Amino acid sequence: MKFFFNVHPTRREAALIALELEKYILSLGGECVSVSEDADFIVAVGGDGTMVSAWKKGDAPVIGVNAGTLGYLPRVEPENAKDAIRAVFEGRFTLENRMTLHCTVPGESSVNALNEAALLHSGTGVIRFTVIVDGIELISYTADGMIAATPTGSTGYSLSAGGPIVDPSSEMLLLTPIAPHTLVSRPIVLSPLSKVTLVSENDALFSADGNTRPLSACSPLTIEKSDKYMRFVSFGRESFISRLRKKLT
C-alpha cells in the first residue's frame, strides 16, 4: 500500500507528525512515495488549506490529519493518527464523496474548486455585478464581491462573510455576498443542478480556493457543480455535528 504525504509547508508540528507516520507506515509494510499519482492514499497533515492542496495533487483518497488551528476538514487528530493508518491497512474505513465546483471564463482554461469560487474587487473600492442563475437575472449587487461555496467550503471564506454552516456530505451551491451595500442581503442556497454566472461591470478578480487571476469587466464567470468529486477517508468516529460542536465551543 502506497502513501503520499502533503504536509503544511511551515508548521513544525505537521512535519513532526508526518515523520512519525512515515516510520509507522514502513513498519506496517507500506511504502511512502514521492509522486502523488503513484499513491493509493494521500495523507494531508495540516489544516483545511493542506487538505485542499492535497486534493489538487491527485485523485487518491485523502486522509486528513489535523495540525491546524480550526481544522474543519481533517478528520484525524494527531493522537489518533497511527490508529487511523492501521485502520486503512485493515480496511476499516469508508470513503465520502465531496462535491466540487467547475468554473469557467470565456477564452481561459477552466478550473475546479473544492471550497469556493469567488468574484472579488481588484483593489480599493467596490464592484457592481449581476448574479444570473440558470439564465435568469436574479439580483445585482454593489459589494466587495460574491462567494459561491460548496457545503465543504461553507465553514471557510463563506462562513466569515456571514454564510450558513452546511453538512459537507450534502450537495448544494451557496451564494454569499461580501460586504454588500444594501440593507437587505442574505445568503442564497441553490440546487446543485444550478448554473450561476457572475458578470461584473468593473475589472475584478476571480478566485478558486484562494488562487486568484484577473477578470476583465463584463467577462462572465460561470460556476456549476463539477463531475469531479474529492474522495475523503472517514473512520466513522464522529459525526459532522459532533465535530462542529467542538469547534464552536
Side-chain angles (χ1 to χ4, degrees):
M1 195 171 290
K2 299 179 180 180
F3 296 80
F4 173 84
F5 277 79
N6 188 64
V7 184
H8 191 286
T10 61
R11 197 162 287 148
R12 183 171 183 272
E13 178 189 4
L16 293 176
I17 293 170
L19 182 61
E20 284 299 310
L21 291 181
E22 288 176 356
K23 293 178 181 177
Y24 189 62
I25 287 169
L26 294 177
S27 73
L28 295 176
E31 182 180 351
C32 298
V33 297
S34 58
V35 179
S36 59
E37 287 80 4
D38 295 338
D40 299 305
F41 295 91
I42 297 176
V43 183
V45 187
D48 289 354
T50 309
M51 291 285 289
V52 173
S53 65
W55 167 70
K56 292 181 182 296
K57 290 183 178 179
D59 294 328
V62 178
I63 304 167
V65 180
N66 186 27
T69 51
L70 284 176
Y72 282 100
L73 291 181
R75 281 289 178 86
V76 181
E77 295 302 322
E79 62 270 21
N80 300 320
K82 288 184 178 179
D83 290 340
I85 294 297
R86 177 172 286 279
V88 170
F89 273 87
E90 296 175 354
R92 294 184 288 108
F93 65 92
T94 58
L95 294 180
E96 296 180 8
N97 287 330
R98 296 289 182 86
M99 170 185 164
T100 66
L101 300 176
H102 184 69
C103 313
T104 55
V105 176
E108 299 187 22
S109 58
S110 61
V111 296
N112 286 338
L114 172 64
N115 278 339
E116 76 277 316
L119 175 71
L120 306 169
H121 66 76
S122 58
T124 58
V126 295
I127 53 176
R128 181 165 178 81
F129 58 91
T130 300
V131 180
I132 302 168
V133 179
D134 297 331
I136 301 172
E137 290 192 11
L138 177 63
I139 189 171
S140 293
Y141 288 97
T142 299
D144 285 354
M146 173 67 80
I147 302 166
T150 64
T152 297
S154 71
T155 52
Y157 193 8
S158 177
L159 179 62
S160 68
I165 297 174
V166 178
D167 189 317
S169 64
S170 59
E171 293 194 1
M172 60 190 69
L173 184 56
L174 313 174
L175 296 183
T176 305
I178 307 169
H181 287 216
T182 176
L183 294 177
V184 181
S185 176
R186 294 290 184 270
I188 301 170
V189 180
L190 298 173
S191 158
L193 301 179
S194 297
K195 178 182 290 188
V196 174
T197 302
L198 305 177
V199 183
S200 173
E201 296 177 9
N202 319 87
D203 288 342
L205 294 176
F206 157 48
S207 172
D209 287 337
N211 297 313
T212 60
R213 64 175 71 173
L215 184 67
S216 300
C218 300
S219 293
L221 166 60
T222 300
I223 303 164
E224 58 190 322
K225 177 185 172 183
S226 171
D227 293 334
K228 181 179 179 181
Y229 284 83
M230 173 189 178
R231 291 188 295 163
F232 191 94
V233 180
S234 175
F235 300 97
R237 290 194 179 99
E238 236 182 354
S239 69
F240 169 70
I241 297 302
S242 296
R243 294 198 312 279
L244 180 62
R245 182 177 182 274
K246 289 182 179 179
K247 303 301 180 181
L248 296 180
T249 56

